[in-house]
Amino acid sequence: MAQNNNALEQDINQLLKVRREKLQDLQENGKDPFQITKYDVTHHSQEIKDNYDELEGKTVSIAGRMMFKRVMGKASFCNVQDLQGNIQAYVARDNIGEDSYKDFKKYDVGDILGIKGEVFTTKTGEKSIHATEVTLLSKSLQILPEKFHGLTDTDIRYRQRYVDLIMNADVKDTFIKRSKVLSTIRRFLDGQGFMEVETPMLVSNAGGAAARPFETHFNALDEDLKLRISLELYLKRLIVGGMERVYEIGRVFRNEGLDTRHNPEFTLMELYQAYTDYHGMMDLTENLYRYVAKEVTGSEILTYGDKELDLSKPFERITMVDAVKKYAGVDFNEIHTLEEARAIAKEKHVEFEERHQKGDILNLFFEEYVEEHLIQPTFVMDHPIEISPLTKKKPENPEYVERFEFFMNGWEMANAYSELNDPIDQRERFEAQEAQFAAGNDEANHTDEDFLNALSIGMPPTGGIGFGIDRMVMMMTNSPAIRDVLLFPTMKSLDK
């Protein structure tokens, strides 16, 4: 096996050497492709096929990467791949000239070509371009991977996404759909009267979520700063300022692990709407998800793996207490003290820490027993106050808050509140979070005095929600891992 690998490596090195020699020859003969600055593209591959009847016999110009070439004496065929797909070109010596044809025969798979010619159909019925002019626009000095082993290694695919996009059409389609998801969300929210805004990524206090931030140092001011972990606190400041409906789609950064659903930098969308509550956010979420699914996939029923997720029906709504009662058989309405909560946790083998309160233990039961069952779209409502430091209490039951998490496929897809706008209550919640941090909770929030000042100015009743865009794209594209929907996911350095 080692001998075969060595022989293969020698073959590849020889082919790379030949490509560089071809480039040198072109440059010495005044045909350096890297001196070309532009090319007039009139059409793309699929556009030509879709409009064949009106384009037949007409001259078009396309440009793209040559993925296949078959030389047959005085005439050849090649296949060119562009943004929309690929199209065949018929290249004959008598049509492009003897010198140009001699050059063409030396071109390699992977080279980027411009081809001008007439649209026609071959004897085998393939819509093609009869070339009258072929221009080498860029010389590929590397060898595309399928030449030897195909691009199937996921680690290489993620590290060299540019090659992955060339070799795997379904990958390109995933990222085209991702772009469409984002534009569709914007279209929906703009139609609802929301305004898109931008807020700081570098902050002195990274709040709004339970996560550890990345830290950095700003030399100009000699201050330590953090990368934001959420968008919440600045967007709420804008609600205070009178911007009644705002949203932001942007990267946030959380210093946590990597798995199929987590990447340390990811795309979050948060929106805030004055004069509504978490019920209003549920209605908005249902309507948004249905709209995006229909626009991006053409259906309100999504296929994810072996499951069908039905967005067409009203989403289930269930309280966290009722969900734990349903799936764990434990009724937290009957558990009144921390001691009782700890006892039932020990009985059910739910691990907890000394700092955990009754509400924390309820949430641990939810994570242990419930989440995996929430396959169809479900709103889990009314979380314990201990895990919701920025949320309004339920007036009739102040141990719980007006919050929901949206679940599909057993995953949390969104998190929403009736936003806490009482500055006195908010200060007490921050103090409780500081105590948790002191007790060893690295993900606890810190007091944000400027945010408290904003609340003191006065914030109207407000509903807010945060959506994980990457997980939404995973659902819309049937992608098994978050890295499949991130163009350049975080990877361990090859130097490590």
Side-chain angles (χ1 to χ4, degrees):
M1 181 63 76
Q3 285 183 333
N4 289 341
N5 287 339
N6 288 336
L8 180 62
E9 190 172 329
Q10 288 176 2
D11 288 344
I12 292 174
N13 288 336
Q14 181 59 33
L15 290 171
L16 294 176
K17 182 170 179 285
V18 169
R19 290 195 178 207
R20 289 187 178 272
E21 289 171 350
K22 287 181 180 180
L23 174 63
Q24 185 177 351
D25 184 60
L26 287 165
Q27 291 170 331
E28 289 173 353
N29 286 281
K31 299 177 180 179
D32 185 353
F34 299 126
Q35 296 295 317
I36 296 174
T37 57
K38 66 176 185 175
Y39 186 80
D40 182 21
V41 177
T42 64
H43 294 79
H44 284 83
S45 56
Q46 193 60 44
E47 182 185 2
I48 293 170
K49 295 174 184 178
D50 290 344
N51 299 281
Y52 180 79
D53 289 345
E54 63 182 79
L55 290 174
E56 183 181 12
K58 294 184 178 176
T59 298
V60 297
S61 295
I62 65 156
R65 191 176 301 275
M66 184 166 67
M67 301 299 291
F68 170 81
K69 183 177 76 166
R70 185 168 77 247
V71 176
M72 303 178 299
K74 299 177 182 178
S76 301
F77 285 97
C78 70
N79 191 288
V80 174
Q81 177 176 293
D82 62 14
L83 174 67
Q84 295 182 354
N86 58 74
I87 193 166
Q88 179 177 267
Y90 174 69
V91 183
R93 185 191 66 183
D94 293 345
N95 293 101
I96 69 169
E98 190 168 338
D99 290 342
S100 292
Y101 190 66
K102 188 183 297 184
D103 289 339
F104 171 79
K105 289 196 292 184
K106 295 178 183 177
Y107 297 161
D108 294 301
V109 167
D111 289 351
I112 295 176
L113 307 180
I115 295 181
K116 183 177 183 179
E118 291 185 359
V119 176
F120 81 113
T121 301
T122 65
K123 291 177 182 178
T124 58
E126 185 166 354
K127 296 177 177 66
S128 307
I129 298 173
H130 195 303
T132 55
E133 187 180 288
V134 177
T135 305
L136 179 63
L137 301 174
S138 181
K139 182 68 187 168
S140 175
L141 300 179
Q142 264 291 0
I143 299 166
L144 293 178
E146 73 168 0
K147 181 78 176 175
F148 293 102
H149 52 72
L151 190 64
T152 55
D153 185 304
T154 53
D155 189 72
I156 294 176
R157 286 180 52 220
Y158 297 145
R159 291 183 188 278
Q160 299 184 18
R161 183 68 84 187
Y162 42 92
V163 182
D164 192 24
L165 290 166
I166 294 167
M167 304 308 301
N168 297 312
D170 57 330
V171 172
K172 184 185 288 186
D173 183 61
T174 292
F175 289 103
I176 290 171
K177 283 183 176 174
R178 181 188 174 103
S179 178
K180 193 171 183 181
V181 166
L182 290 167
S183 62
T184 303
I185 289 171
R186 288 187 166 100
R187 190 162 60 249
F188 176 87
L189 292 177
D190 294 348
Q192 298 287 318
F194 283 86
M195 180 171 69
E196 185 173 9
V197 298
E198 295 174 304
T199 60
M201 288 190 182
L202 282 172
V203 295
S204 57
N205 186 351
R212 282 193 301 169
F214 288 94
E215 299 182 4
T216 188
H217 186 76
F218 182 23
N219 292 332
L221 296 180
D222 192 24
E223 286 185 2
D224 290 331
L225 294 174
K226 300 175 179 67
L227 290 172
R228 65 185 181 186
I229 59 174
S230 87
L231 315 173
E232 181 166 350
L233 300 184
Y234 280 98
L235 291 177
K236 285 183 180 177
R237 286 168 166 89
L238 299 181
I239 295 292
V240 170
M243 295 182 173
E244 294 182 2
R245 298 188 182 203
V246 294
Y247 74 95
E248 180 172 8
I249 298 174
R251 282 292 174 108
V252 297
F253 310 86
R254 298 183 181 180
N255 199 349
E256 53 192 24
L258 292 161
D259 61 31
T260 56
R261 282 183 280 163
H262 293 89
N263 194 71
E265 58 173 309
F266 62 97
T267 303
L268 184 65
M269 183 192 77
E270 291 195 31
L271 66 87
Y272 293 84
Q273 179 179 340
Y275 311 112
T276 191
D277 63 3
Y278 74 143
H279 293 290
M281 292 295 101
M282 287 185 220
D283 295 339
L284 183 146
T285 302
E286 278 200 44
N287 294 332
L288 173 62
Y289 256 81
R290 286 196 192 105
Y291 181 75
V292 172
K294 194 71 183 289
E295 290 290 307
V296 174
T297 73
S299 174
E300 292 178 351
I301 297 176
L302 301 177
T303 299
Y304 191 81
D306 59 356
K307 305 181 188 81
E308 280 197 346
L309 309 172
D310 191 349
L311 302 174
S312 67
K313 300 173 183 174
F315 297 1
E316 182 183 357
R317 303 185 182 197
I318 187 171
T319 67
M320 182 179 281
V321 169
D322 286 345
V324 168
K325 183 178 178 181
K326 179 178 179 180
Y327 293 105
V330 176
D331 186 355
F332 269 76
N333 283 326
E334 302 299 321
I335 295 172
H336 303 291
T337 66
L338 175 58
E339 289 70 25
E340 291 173 349
R342 287 175 171 174
I344 195 67
K346 289 175 181 176
E347 180 185 324
K348 296 287 187 178
H349 306 291
V350 173
E351 294 184 9
F352 61 90
E353 298 177 25
E354 188 66 27
R355 63 183 173 82
H356 283 146
Q357 301 299 307
K358 175 187 157 188
D360 297 299
I361 293 173
L362 167 61
N363 188 53
L364 292 171
F365 267 87
F366 174 77
E367 292 173 350
E368 182 74 26
Y369 283 96
V370 181
E371 287 188 1
E372 62 182 321
H373 298 287
L374 304 179
I375 304 303
Q376 296 304 318
T378 304
F379 294 122
V380 176
M381 309 155 50
D382 301 350
H383 292 49
I385 193 170
E386 291 90 340
I387 62 168
S388 310
L390 298 163
T391 316
K392 272 195 173 182
K393 297 173 185 175
K394 291 182 69 64
E396 71 279 10
N397 191 351
E399 288 187 8
Y400 296 91
V401 297
E402 294 190 349
R403 172 184 175 187
F404 73 80
E405 290 175 294
F406 172 46
F407 280 83
M408 274 201 308
N409 192 49
W411 303 353
E412 179 201 337
M413 305 297 293
N415 185 25
Y417 313 150
S418 295
E419 302 297 336
L420 179 59
N421 61 344
D422 178 345
I424 298 171
D425 189 355
Q426 182 63 81
R427 182 175 290 280
E428 291 172 355
R429 307 276 193 95
F430 275 142
E431 288 171 355
Q433 287 285 298
E434 294 283 9
Q436 285 195 30
F437 183 79
N441 182 2
D442 291 340
E443 297 183 348
N445 279 224
H446 293 283
T447 303
D448 187 326
E449 291 293 347
D450 184 72
F451 177 65
L452 289 170
N453 184 61
L455 288 188
S456 298
I457 298 292
M459 186 174 87
T462 298
I465 190 165
F467 290 92
I469 295 297
D470 307 304
R471 292 186 188 179
M472 177 189 263
V473 175
M474 288 171 69
M475 292 291 178
M476 299 291 170
T477 59
N478 194 15
S479 297
I482 193 171
R483 290 181 176 188
D484 296 320
V485 299
L486 297 174
L487 279 166
F488 301 102
T490 302
M491 303 290 290
K492 185 176 181 179
S493 172
L494 290 173
D495 297 332
K496 296 293 184 182

